[in-house]
Amino acid sequence: MPASEGARGGEPETGLFRKPAILAGLLFLLASLSLGADPFLLPLHEEERPPTPVSGYESLSDELKEMQDDDFSNPGMMMVDLGRELFHQPRFSGDSCATCHGENGERLDRGRIAAYPVWDEEEGAPVNLQMRINLCLERHMDEFRLPYNHTDLLALETFVRYLARGEKVHVSIEGPMREHWERGRRIFHTRSGQYGFACVHCHEYYVGLRLRSLELTQAQTNGFPSYLLRSGKILNLHQKFVGCYQNLRAEPYEPGSPELLDLEIYLGWRGNGLPIETPAVRP
Amino acid sequence: MGYPFAVTRRLLPLLFLIPLSTPAGEAGTEPYIPWTASDDYAIEEPLGGLVGDPARGREIARDRGRGNCIACHLLPIPEEPDHGTVGPPLIGVGSRLTEGQIRLRVVDEQRVNPPTIMPAFYRDPARLTRVDPAYRGKTLLTAQEVEDLVAWLKGLK
């Protein structure tokens, strides 16, 4: 059969769908997810985790490694300091975070911080660290929730995550988290935008190769919130996702949206075992 | 042409995209020209019967805002540093592939290799998803730009 395109809406004959076995396999997979068929989804393999997670740190120049490692030269430390200040600010109830969690956050469980996003029974949904901090404001300090990435939240998130620096990431995908992991995994493998790239293209298929002078990395999330030298500020992980979508000339999902949270769960799990580097420095 | 049920189903989401991304009539956008690929993975006829200019093709290949082919490929453009390594070097591509085969690869490499990273530079804009509103209804390159690139690449012996 000729590979013809015909009029708009015509059907591309991708080799993938010519093989009945592969077609049946894909159909089964899609049916079992009951999310419908998706022409933009790239193949999902049984074992999706990259063999060994490697932090973006390994691709930094010596100069940038030094900048990240030295608290006096790491520009992200300004956000940590702001977060520490806000940690002590009394809220509507009269309490500050330090009232419950200790002057220097010593009553926070560092291992637990490295496990975020986690399932929240009360919300009936997964929450990431920033969302959890917002819930503390609401549940324990009689405050209203703040919008996602409000400076206070970003600073507190950076400070709290920094407290767990060196702790190994261990995102669990047991129980109700599994479904969110699966959705995040699909988003990671879905083409979008005018360029039609998927995350998996740059951050799995071609890791170690270069787009012009930029070396492609595994897109590990252990350094977030990270200081991005190109933008000259600390970015929350969801803001970085939005940046990558914009590079694809795609319509991004909103920071704090269920889609980006699912992507965060998938990527977090994929990097289990990496040490937290917050605040990381990236080019 | 009878397509299996599954194939029809996976087109359903696209139907919703069509009104959003119809190129005709949009300011600054030329109408999309449909094309046909042959059995040996080639588009024999130049898009819209246009004639390409190799010198312009070379410019488009290095221009970040247009082809930006050097983001991924090593090309004979020595004045630019840091050619990417994601794609194969295109030195000598004119000896490996026919003009028509080169055209299909620039137009839509996914027709040759479905999971490829290489962007489809002249794919029907109705067959894209979640496109930034600023680029909706537009192909990555114009038909003329594709022909300019093909004219340059086929001469890389």
Side-chain angles (χ1 to χ4, degrees):
Chain A
M1 244 201 294
S4 71
E5 177 175 80
R8 186 177 319 114
E11 172 53 25
E13 292 169 27
T14 56
L16 197 63
F17 287 93
R18 273 192 223 127
K19 298 221 173 79
I22 299 180
L23 179 64
L26 272 176
L27 275 181
F28 171 74
L29 188 78
L30 295 173
S32 65
L33 293 166
S34 61
L35 286 169
D38 182 350
F40 300 101
L41 183 65
L42 290 163
L44 298 169
H45 302 291
E46 240 353 91
E47 186 46 74
E48 273 302 296
R49 199 195 298 250
T52 317
V54 178
S55 168
Y57 181 83
E58 304 302 332
S59 303
L60 296 181
S61 63
D62 288 345
E63 198 187 339
L64 290 189
K65 282 183 180 159
E66 250 171 63
M67 186 190 279
Q68 174 174 319
D69 293 341
D70 174 11
D71 282 354
F72 291 101
S73 64
N74 184 332
M77 288 305 292
M78 277 172 60
M79 207 55 152
V80 172
D81 292 339
L82 176 61
R84 183 179 313 186
E85 222 178 287
L86 292 168
F87 197 78
H88 291 93
Q89 179 183 308
R91 303 282 161 169
F92 194 77
S93 65
D95 291 335
S96 73
C97 313
T99 316
C100 294
H101 298 300
E103 268 314 290
N104 298 302
E106 63 277 1
R107 290 208 293 279
L108 282 168
D109 180 344
R110 298 172 77 243
R112 175 78 178 166
I113 293 168
Y116 275 82
V118 300
W119 184 256
D120 188 279
E121 278 303 337
E122 228 173 292
E123 290 286 296
V127 294
N128 66 20
L129 189 57
Q130 183 177 130
M131 292 167 175
R132 173 62 234 196
I133 292 167
N134 218 0
L135 287 176
C136 264
L137 286 173
E138 182 186 59
R139 289 178 187 164
H140 305 303
M141 306 164 98
D142 294 339
E143 291 277 358
F144 293 111
R145 289 189 198 187
L146 292 170
Y148 198 78
N149 279 337
H150 184 286
T151 313
D152 283 18
L153 286 182
L154 183 54
L156 285 165
E157 178 195 0
T158 310
F159 172 64
V160 172
R161 191 84 170 167
Y162 157 83
L163 293 178
R165 201 152 69 161
E167 203 68 35
K168 293 210 172 13
V169 174
H170 59 106
V171 174
S172 161
I173 56 165
E174 299 300 309
M177 292 295 281
R178 180 84 196 180
E179 182 192 325
H180 293 274
W181 171 87
E182 184 62 52
R183 272 196 226 136
R185 179 183 183 220
R186 288 173 63 93
I187 293 175
F188 190 79
H189 287 79
T190 300
R191 294 179 180 276
S192 69
Q194 197 191 25
Y195 279 110
F197 298 130
C199 317
V200 69
H201 277 133
C202 289
H203 296 301
E204 222 156 291
Y205 294 177
Y206 292 104
V207 168
L209 296 181
R210 282 183 299 103
L211 273 182
R212 286 308 291 266
S213 60
L214 278 178
E215 186 182 328
L216 293 172
T217 69
Q218 290 179 355
Q220 294 296 352
T221 57
N222 55 314
F224 282 85
S226 294
Y227 190 87
L228 274 268
L229 288 161
R230 249 172 308 169
S231 17
K233 58 182 177 196
I234 279 260
L235 290 191
N236 164 273
L237 181 58
H238 291 199
Q239 291 169 303
K240 177 68 216 184
F241 290 161
V242 168
C244 271
Y245 273 114
Q246 283 166 343
N247 289 339
L248 317 190
R249 297 188 178 169
E251 193 173 31
Y253 298 101
E254 285 293 314
S257 63
E259 288 86 359
L260 295 192
L261 181 57
D262 291 346
L263 199 49
E264 175 173 0
I265 291 164
Y266 177 70
L267 285 179
W269 165 86
R270 191 168 156 276
N272 275 350
L274 290 177
I276 289 178
E277 294 175 18
T278 311
V281 175
R282 295 289 182 267
Chain B
M1 298 247 257
Y3 293 112
F5 172 67
V7 165
T8 318
R9 263 192 54 199
R10 68 198 182 86
L11 271 179
L12 282 180
L14 291 177
L15 295 178
F16 299 106
L17 284 176
I18 290 172
L20 291 176
S21 50
T22 298
E26 251 200 52
T29 321
E30 55 173 31
Y32 167 74
I33 306 168
W35 43 270
T36 305
S38 63
D39 275 339
D40 59 341
Y41 295 98
I43 303 173
E44 305 297 355
E45 297 301 321
L47 300 177
L50 295 164
V51 179
D53 172 59
R56 279 201 310 250
R58 188 181 190 275
E59 265 316 296
I60 293 162
R62 65 177 276 191
D63 184 342
R64 273 172 192 280
R66 291 191 288 168
N68 198 14
C69 313
I70 53 172
C72 293
H73 294 283
L74 176 64
L75 281 160
I77 306 183
E79 69 275 21
E80 287 283 347
D82 297 328
H83 298 214
T85 57
V86 165
L90 293 181
I91 317 275
V93 69
S95 316
R96 290 196 299 275
L97 299 174
T98 66
E99 175 184 336
Q101 288 169 335
I102 293 176
R103 186 174 291 109
L104 177 60
R105 279 148 187 82
V106 178
V107 162
D108 193 349
E109 171 68 13
Q110 282 181 47
R111 301 298 290 279
V112 183
N113 176 22
T116 190
I117 187 176
M118 177 157 156
F121 287 94
Y122 201 80
R123 167 181 267 238
D124 184 343
R127 301 221 326 271
L128 300 171
T129 187
R130 291 194 70 84
V131 176
D132 177 333
Y135 298 97
R136 270 194 207 146
K138 296 175 191 159
T139 48
L140 277 166
L141 293 175
T142 63
Q144 182 64 57
E145 287 169 332
V146 169
E147 290 309 322
D148 291 342
L149 277 169
V150 173
W152 181 56
L153 293 172
K154 76 179 180 194
L156 301 182
K157 300 288 184 184

